Amino acid sequence: MDDIVKQALAKWPNVPHCYGWLGLDARGNWYMRDDRTQAQGPFRTAKGSMLRHDKLIEFIHRNYEHDDEGQWFFQNGPQRVYVELEAAPLVWRVAEEADGGGFTVTAHTGTAAKVSGCLLDEDGRLYLASPMGLGLVHTQDVGIAAEAIERGIWTPEPVQASELPLRFGHVLSPAERHAAASHA
């Protein structure tokens, strides 16, 4: 977490959390979701405006975490901006090592990861588990990941996509969860 964010948290510890305004798609792109977009439906059906400002995206990446309930958020100064997820909290980029001996896996945030599991859902989407969390393999890297599977480095386990949040402890829509808790 950035030092400036830590300082803001110390100065203003009780700022309300923000829900529904930020989304992460299956390719690792960030989307801002204004009131109008949110009124059109959940993130999977109404994404909003894709962020393109490199410095802002880098700031989000450095301050992207999850809480104890599995809700991923961007710590924006003193405020947690909870993230709507299209598929998983992480999107993996996969590359073959230069010597051809293995593969590297890096999250959309730029953080390297060690793969602890490989899963294939009913729609043919490939996920990798790591100590950082569950992530979807970027569509551009599925061919490279298939090479790792063919070499026996990863063995995909069949899974239903709907079971992944419970199994890996992440929340796809903190906004829906927050709204349900508010009305309970």
Side-chain angles (χ1 to χ4, degrees):
M1 190 179 300
D2 287 1
D3 285 336
I4 193 168
V5 172
K6 291 177 187 174
Q7 292 168 8
L9 277 167
K11 189 172 182 179
W12 300 290
N14 298 315
V15 173
H17 301 320
C18 179
Y19 294 88
W21 287 82
L22 186 64
L24 177 69
D25 77 1
R27 294 177 61 96
N29 296 310
W30 294 101
Y31 287 82
M32 289 297 298
R33 305 182 71 240
D34 61 17
D35 285 328
R36 188 175 61 73
T37 301
Q38 290 180 53
Q40 294 173 357
F43 180 62
R44 283 175 230 107
T45 58
K47 285 194 167 97
S49 301
M50 186 166 60
L51 295 179
R52 298 187 187 278
H53 190 278
D54 291 338
K55 296 292 183 191
L56 174 59
I57 293 167
E58 290 169 11
F59 182 63
I60 292 171
H61 287 171
R62 288 192 311 272
N63 297 286
Y64 182 56
E65 300 182 17
H66 62 86
D67 64 17
D68 293 339
E69 297 175 17
Q71 300 176 108
W72 287 75
F73 62 90
F74 154 53
Q75 189 70 47
N76 184 26
Q79 184 175 58
R80 282 188 179 178
V81 178
Y82 282 98
V83 177
E84 299 295 291
L85 305 172
E86 183 174 6
L90 300 165
V91 177
W92 302 120
R93 298 308 310 251
V94 181
E96 189 168 3
E97 292 176 349
D99 64 7
F103 296 84
T104 60
V105 176
T106 307
H108 68 280
T109 61
T111 305
K114 181 177 169 90
V115 174
S116 59
C118 180
L119 304 107
L120 186 66
D121 78 7
E122 67 275 14
D123 292 325
R125 292 177 295 191
L126 187 65
Y127 298 82
L128 300 175
S130 83
M132 289 172 50
L134 182 73
L136 180 67
V137 173
H138 193 286
T139 54
Q140 290 180 330
D141 297 343
V142 170
I144 299 166
E147 290 179 34
I149 291 167
E150 288 175 7
R151 291 187 201 172
I153 296 170
W154 301 328
T155 303
E157 168 193 343
V159 67
Q160 294 293 310
S162 62
E163 298 170 0
L164 293 172
L166 182 61
R167 181 171 170 186
F168 289 92
H170 61 270
V171 176
L172 291 175
S173 180
E176 288 176 12
R177 186 177 193 187
H178 179 71
S182 297
H183 292 102

